[in-house]
Amino acid sequence: MQFDVKTLEFDKIIKKVTAKADTALGKELASALAPIDQVVPINKQLQETLEGKWFIAEGLAPVMSGVYDIREALKRARVQGVLSIRDFLDIHSHIQATKRIKREMMRLGVALEKEIGLEQYAEGLIYLGDLFEDIANVMDEQGQILSTASPALKTIRNELDINERRIKQTLDQILRKESKRLTETLVTMRHGRFVIPVKISEKNNLRGTIMD
């Protein structure tokens, strides 16, 4: 059977359906929809559409937040390419969303006490828990690398913390001891260095580097 897509104004239908999709992947799939004339797939898709209406009517429609298009990142990962922090954050979010969406898609059958065909898609969702935890152990939700990322990094950061505390202790001692030579008893940071405000008349009486 041939369809006159212009007469059906199929392009307008596609635009409306695409606008309803919550994710980039969903919009891509919706925009690629085409008319079909086989009875079996037609009935299957009509049933799935009906079940989608049930999800909405029952207030159980899965929330698609956190779903990202991670295909390019996965392509680079397969060839051992370099992934950005943004890539890892998107993958981490995607895995978490997968677990949530799978759980949400299984709720309708329980609520209506009937078999739901859309659940077959939920059953195909795989939660990569180990990868989720691996990423969570390396960076936080803002993409900051955690000390737990590696033993070496943890050691380095511990040493930096110790050195910083020692520097601050030394500066506090200088503030107390040389307070009369300072304009203020405070420490600031300038050009990546700790700075104390010395009176102009005392600049040659204290050891250190002058920062203008």
Side-chain angles (χ1 to χ4, degrees):
M1 183 184 298
Q2 296 295 321
F3 296 94
D4 187 340
V5 293
K6 290 185 178 180
T7 302
L8 291 173
E9 295 187 324
F10 193 70
D11 59 330
K12 294 182 180 180
I13 297 172
I14 290 298
K15 285 182 180 179
K16 289 185 177 182
V17 174
T18 301
K20 294 293 184 179
D22 290 332
T23 68
L25 289 169
K27 291 181 182 299
E28 183 177 310
L29 291 171
S31 64
L33 289 172
I36 56 176
D37 58 4
Q38 291 84 33
V39 174
V40 174
I42 287 174
N43 288 335
K44 180 176 182 291
Q45 292 183 22
L46 285 174
Q47 178 62 27
E48 290 176 351
T49 302
L50 177 61
E51 292 175 2
K53 290 178 62 179
W54 291 344
F55 267 109
I56 296 172
E58 294 294 324
L60 298 175
V63 178
M64 295 298 168
S65 61
V67 176
Y68 294 99
D69 187 351
I70 58 175
R71 288 174 294 182
E72 288 301 319
L74 295 181
K75 285 180 181 178
R76 293 197 300 276
R78 290 190 187 99
V79 296
Q80 298 183 347
V82 177
L83 301 187
S84 67
I85 288 177
R86 182 72 263 166
D87 289 332
F88 281 110
L89 290 176
D90 287 351
I91 292 171
H92 188 262
S93 174
H94 198 91
I95 295 173
Q96 187 175 41
T98 297
K99 181 180 181 180
R100 187 193 70 249
I101 291 170
K102 182 173 185 175
R103 181 178 65 250
E104 292 174 348
M105 287 188 69
M106 304 301 288
R107 295 183 302 182
L108 185 62
V110 175
L112 299 182
E113 297 182 345
K114 64 172 62 177
E115 185 176 340
I116 302 298
L118 286 176
E119 289 183 356
Q120 65 178 313
Y121 299 109
E123 292 169 356
L125 296 176
I126 300 174
Y127 175 62
L128 302 176
D130 290 342
L131 179 56
F132 181 85
E133 293 300 328
D134 286 343
I135 296 175
N137 288 332
V138 170
M139 62 182 65
D140 62 19
E141 294 179 354
Q142 286 70 48
Q144 298 296 316
I145 304 301
L146 303 173
S147 296
T148 52
S150 74
L153 179 60
K154 185 175 183 179
T155 299
I156 292 171
R157 285 186 170 174
N158 286 339
E159 291 176 352
L160 288 174
D161 289 340
I162 292 172
N163 290 333
E164 185 174 340
R165 285 197 297 270
R166 288 174 178 171
I167 291 172
K168 288 183 177 180
Q169 289 174 357
T170 301
L171 289 170
D172 288 339
Q173 292 173 2
I174 293 175
L175 290 178
R176 289 193 299 270
K177 184 178 180 181
E178 307 291 350
S179 60
K180 294 182 179 180
R181 293 177 174 174
L182 307 178
T183 58
E184 292 180 90
T185 55
L186 58 81
V187 178
T188 58
M189 182 73 73
R190 187 175 297 177
H191 305 305
R193 295 185 177 186
F194 289 110
V195 177
I196 56 176
V198 179
K199 294 178 181 178
I200 295 177
S201 59
E202 297 290 341
K203 66 180 182 179
N204 294 321
N205 297 325
L206 286 175
R207 295 177 59 187
T209 301
I210 297 176
M211 302 287 292
D212 293 328

